[in-house]
Amino acid sequence: TEIDLIAAFTSDNTATADFIAIALPRLKIGDASKSDGDGGIVGTYPFTALLNNAGGTVIKTEKTTVQMQDSAA
């Protein structure tokens, strides 16, 4: 199954918090497994990041495998 993954992480909960954002515009999930031990259910999803062939100039996504953005100047 192919999906995209976008994640943003902040240093705190304020509106001006530092952040880093990571986007994988095209990835393929190879398998899925779960473990429901004492700490709750933990899922494992091995994946491969693929080149986003649909991206490029004047397209909403870039032609890339991974994008990263941070708030640091």
Side-chain angles (χ1 to χ4, degrees):
T1 302
E2 287 189 16
I3 62 169
D4 61 337
L5 176 67
I6 301 169
F9 306 95
T10 59
S11 59
D12 57 49
N13 291 330
T14 64
T16 58
D18 289 334
F19 71 88
I20 184 167
I22 302 168
L24 300 163
R26 181 177 171 223
L27 62 90
K28 184 171 186 155
I29 297 177
D31 196 8
S33 62
K34 66 179 179 176
S35 171
D36 58 353
D38 292 337
I41 299 173
V42 177
T44 302
Y45 306 93
F47 65 88
T48 302
L50 304 170
L51 178 63
N52 180 21
N53 292 322
T57 307
V58 302
I59 306 292
K60 68 178 184 173
T61 59
E62 297 293 328
K63 186 173 183 179
T64 187
T65 305
V66 62
Q67 291 177 283
M68 299 179 115
Q69 178 184 5
D70 69 10
S71 60

